[in-house]
Amino acid sequence: MKLDVQLDGRPDEAAQRARELIAAGADGLFTFEGPHDVFLPLIVAAGSSDVPPTDLMTNVAIAIPRSPMNLANMAYDLHLLSKGRFRLGLGSQIRPHIENRYGATWSRPAARMRETVLAVKAILNSWQAGTPLDFRGEFTKHTLMPPTFVPGPNPYGVPPVLLGALGPVMTRTAAEVADGLLVMPFHSHRHFRERTLPAVAEGLERAGRDRIDLYPQAIVAMGGTPEEIEAATFGVKGLLAFYGSTPAYRPVLEIEGWGDLQPELNALSKTGDIMAMIGLIDDTMARTLAVVGTPAECATEIRARFGDVAERVCAYFPGTTHPPETISALARELRRTPSACVGDDLRGDDGGGRRDAGDVPTPS
């Protein structure tokens, strides 16, 4: 499997960090919509002559507050700047952030994300093919494209448009209209097998499609010694507690029998008691919802979860900045055992890694 690593930090440090991660063996870099702009670090990395060419991705750019035209422009230019190595990953966020952080309008997120993906693709394809732009949706309309604003065909083609999802409706939507599904990092093996993959199969069937690229994401607590693993696990528990406090993410906890934890975490989040929240995430939860261990152990777990359906994984290391040798060890271990052929049939899974007879259309 290939390894994508988060390019975090300030944009003025992005080039140096990109060089370090690529030298350590990362196959690609992704950015998260956090304290800094999601596109700018990728622009810095792609435009720096001393940063080796590598795969780049937003993971994710929050789409609802942005115009599809803005997203298409950014995707086109980053694809051009990176010489065809960019993937546009989009996400919806949750209502409090859309309304109270972005100051935008929230409504019917899956329908809006479907339309955004289709609109961005329509704009990009119009530029690529030289055909008139005529996209008329429920939430957005794009029918004006004077020649002055047409960049022309991208020499590297049209960049893929991916959609992040957790729940069944958004997951089905991604399978119906996007070029790839970004699997939410807050998940368990059972949730991925019993909820995500069936929703992907349903979406593909509805759209009459036979495949979609899967980009699984994993929260990773990794270290070379027990002390390093323990320190990394503390950071992971903080992120798990944050995700677990969100009502929309309760189904992941419920499938493991921890549904009652969500309102408790949510109540604590409103008081700002972070340490109490972290204290509710025990080691069993951490190992179920995240990947914990040495680089070799983490690689084994990642392949067990995703190796039969995906060719690469996005790894998050919350609260930990690993030295190059640790990243290198994980990348090396992930490549050690080839993942299953992406065109192989995907079977149903009982949650414990065993395959049954139920055929499912192949996400690849």
Side-chain angles (χ1 to χ4, degrees), residues 22 28 54 81 90 93 106 108 119 138 155 164 198 205 235 273 276 350:
I22 296 168
T54 193
L81 194 59
L90 302 176
Q93 249 300 347
W106 172 269
R108 299 171 55 204
E138 180 181 356
E205 184 177 5
D273 196 343
D350 66 1

Side-chain angles (χ1 to χ4, degrees), residues 50-351:
D50 55 349
V51 175
T54 193
D55 295 339
L56 302 173
M57 175 172 62
T58 53
N59 188 14
V60 293
I62 305 306
I64 289 178
R66 291 183 168 99
S67 162
M69 185 62 67
N70 297 137
L71 292 168
N73 275 132
M74 291 297 297
Y76 180 101
D77 287 345
L78 265 166
H79 205 50
L80 185 66
L81 194 59
S82 65
K83 296 179 170 58
R85 293 176 174 267
F86 177 69
R87 301 185 299 275
L88 178 65
L90 302 176
S92 63
Q93 249 300 347
I94 58 176
R95 183 171 188 165
H97 284 264
I98 295 300
E99 292 184 337
N100 302 324
R101 183 158 70 94
Y102 288 99
T105 300
W106 172 269
S107 69
R108 299 171 55 204
R112 290 173 66 112
M113 291 305 301
R114 167 195 290 274
E115 192 165 298
T116 295
V117 169
L118 292 174
V120 170
K121 294 173 74 171
I123 295 165
L124 290 170
N125 288 327
S126 170
W127 292 341
Q128 194 70 15
T131 54
L133 178 60
D134 187 15
F135 184 88
R136 302 170 189 268
E138 180 181 356
F139 306 99
T140 187
K141 181 179 72 171
H142 303 278
T143 58
L144 178 64
M145 184 52 60
T148 303
F149 301 100
V150 177
N154 193 311
Y156 303 101
V158 175
V161 182
L162 319 178
L163 180 56
L166 174 68
V169 177
M170 193 69 79
T171 301
R172 286 196 302 266
T173 299
E176 288 181 53
V177 301
D179 297 312
L181 168 68
L182 290 163
V183 179
M184 173 72 182
F186 187 71
H187 68 269
S188 67
H189 182 91
R190 284 191 62 194
H191 188 273
F192 177 66
R193 295 284 163 171
E194 297 178 17
R195 302 289 173 83
T196 300
L197 292 183
V200 169
E202 185 178 347
L204 291 174
E205 184 177 5
R206 285 185 178 187
R209 306 171 75 189
D210 60 3
R211 64 182 301 278
I212 184 175
D213 291 328
L214 295 188
Y215 296 90
Q217 304 172 75
I219 300 170
V220 180
M222 182 174 66
T225 66
E227 293 77 17
E228 291 176 352
I229 294 172
E230 182 179 2
T233 301
F234 181 80
V236 161
K237 288 181 177 180
L239 182 57
L240 294 177
F242 170 74
Y243 278 137
S245 70
T246 306
Y249 300 161
R250 181 168 179 164
V252 176
L253 297 172
E254 286 180 331
I255 201 170
E256 299 294 341
W258 302 324
D260 291 342
L261 181 64
Q262 187 279 317
E264 191 172 356
L265 288 169
N266 185 263
L268 287 170
S269 72
K270 294 176 181 177
T271 69
D273 196 343
I274 304 301
M275 294 306 297
M277 293 174 66
I278 293 174
L280 294 178
I281 308 297
D282 61 28
D283 289 343
T284 298
M285 293 176 184
R287 290 183 174 274
T288 301
L289 302 172
V291 175
V292 181
T294 64
E297 291 168 341
C298 289
T300 298
E301 175 62 20
I302 288 170
R303 288 197 303 267
R305 291 190 188 192
F306 310 119
D308 60 334
V309 294
E311 292 183 323
R312 61 198 308 152
V313 64
C314 299
Y316 289 86
F317 308 111
T320 305
T321 301
H322 288 293
E325 55 267 24
T326 308
I327 301 291
S328 179
L330 178 61
R332 184 171 58 251
E333 291 293 338
L334 282 171
R335 296 187 189 103
R336 187 179 299 278
T337 302
S339 56
C341 175
V342 182
D344 288 347
D345 283 345
L346 179 67
R347 306 295 182 183
D349 190 284
D350 66 1

